[in-house]
Amino acid sequence: MDVARTEVAPRKRPEAAARARSNAARLGLLALPVAFFAVFFAYPVAAIVGRGLKADGAWQFGRLVDVLTQSGIRHVLWFTTWQALASTALTLLIALPGAYAFARFDFPGKQVLRAVVTVPFVLPTVVVGTAFLALVGRGGLLDELWGVRLDTTVWAILLAHVFFNYAVVVRTVGGLWAQLDPRQEEAARMLGASRLTAWRTVTLPALAPAVAAAALMVFLFTFTSFGVVQILGGPTFSTLEVEIYRQTTEVFDLTTAAVLTMVQFVAVGAVLAVHAWTVRRRETALRLVDASVTARRPRGAGQWALLAGVLVTVAVLLLLPLAVLVQRSLDAPGFGYYRALTSEDGGTFLVPPIDAIGNSLSYAVVATAIAVLVGGLAAVALTRRDAGRFVRGFDALLMLPLGVSAVTVGFGFLIALDEPPLDLRASWILVPLAQALVGVPFVVRTMLPVLRAVDVRLREAAAVLGASPWRAWREVDLPMVRRALLVAAGFAFAVSLGEFGATVFIARPDSPTLPVAVARLLGRPGDLNYGQAMALSTILMVVCAVALLVLERLRTDRTGEF
């Protein structure tokens, strides 16, 4: 007995020491992500909140009550919540049949259509708003055909939100649905349950975490909606994000903007906490099968009708607005609107509008590099599920930039980063830094599932053999996650390309990005400005679509959905 113990103990000590070195290295990897978020997220947000709620060096918390009791602000809070709930419910209603079709049916062109369905999600919200403006606005397709206008109505906003978030439900719920073992539901049918009863008692409980996670993400994106509401809502409708922008740039009331930022911060934090809980349930509560064996060709008239209905929905709701956008950009003979992009009018821009393409691509490349570096380090550090509370808490904090007001972050950059040692207000790097904040969560969520799928014993074996943590990661993890890393970089590039809320504050007049250029053109009267906005939106849409098609070819079953 004693001999056995003396033989086992020496083998365990190197493994324990290797594990301790690995944990220490993992915490060290968090240093850069923590510093990045502290300096370029927490500090600017805290700066603008402090500027708004401090007077003569003292906090004026009484202003919280004063602002929140204003009837106009109460209306904004109510509309923000109401339209987010309505958008979420409508998105689930329309997208769940699509999730089922993509999960359970095998049909020609499925992979291409899957990529097409995802295009709206990576489009900038400015382009989404512009596409629906071309469809339902003044002089739009509905106006020309039937004299119907839906711009400045809540229906235009709701439909645009469904357009934008359709892929969230299809990928999140459909991805899990495709991996559920259909034999469980078939067993219930053999025991006498009806099709509806079997689905309600077997499949629906298994899907519930994924449906809840998708619903929470849709609610988060619509609760913080900015570009869509800014373009389609007009002066009638205003979400918290739009109101923060208005109070900051038009009314110059930083106190009200700070209060609304705090309200949005608390609401987003609560949504993300619930979302993290549902994701943990989704990861641990199910046994999944290979998705490739669950899809089959539709059987019977009912399934073919369902597939046809999904295809019609995709065509009308997702493809038609994009097609109208392209058609409007070609209204001028001889590609007139595109040729006008090369001229400098001295009014809207200090440079020809076409320069915005090069600016956006350059900024997005730099932002992608930053996001991949910061997000990649964070994902490696978060790989272990038994990490401490600090690590798990930081995992949740990484999602905050997706929900906290980008307007607040952008304006906070101007306020906080204007004196040494961080006097960056006149520097071009501000734009990619703000864009990288949005890209980091996508990098982490894409890489983390793949990193967690790597057998930890491989890393431990490399460490026992004397490999440093860096060499172990390079030799073990990197070959397995290389494709996921490319997908993460692609998503970071796409979302950086379309970032608008923060960039609208910090992009210099001589270096506008594509979303900023589109918004400025739409803000000026005249058919030429409108046509140029449609042309720039089409260019931005094509770039995002190409990036997404490349991502779809790189995607693996273990790669995160978003």
Side-chain angles (χ1 to χ4, degrees), residues 121 221 402 438-447 488 491-492 495 562:
F121 179 75
F221 291 141
L402 293 181
V438 183
V440 167
F442 287 89
V443 173
V444 174
R445 289 293 162 248
T446 301
M447 293 188 62
F491 270 121
V495 298
F562 290 107

Side-chain angles (χ1 to χ4, degrees), residues 96 148 275 354 414 436 466 548:
L96 281 176
V148 175
H275 180 267
I354 199 169
L414 296 182
L548 187 66

Side-chain angles (χ1 to χ4, degrees), residues 77 163 192 208 212 275 299 301 303 305 309 321 357 361 432 441-442 466 491 509 551:
L77 292 173
F163 169 90
H275 180 267
R299 300 173 184 171
Q303 292 189 355
I357 301 173
L361 293 175
F442 287 89
F491 270 121
L551 292 182

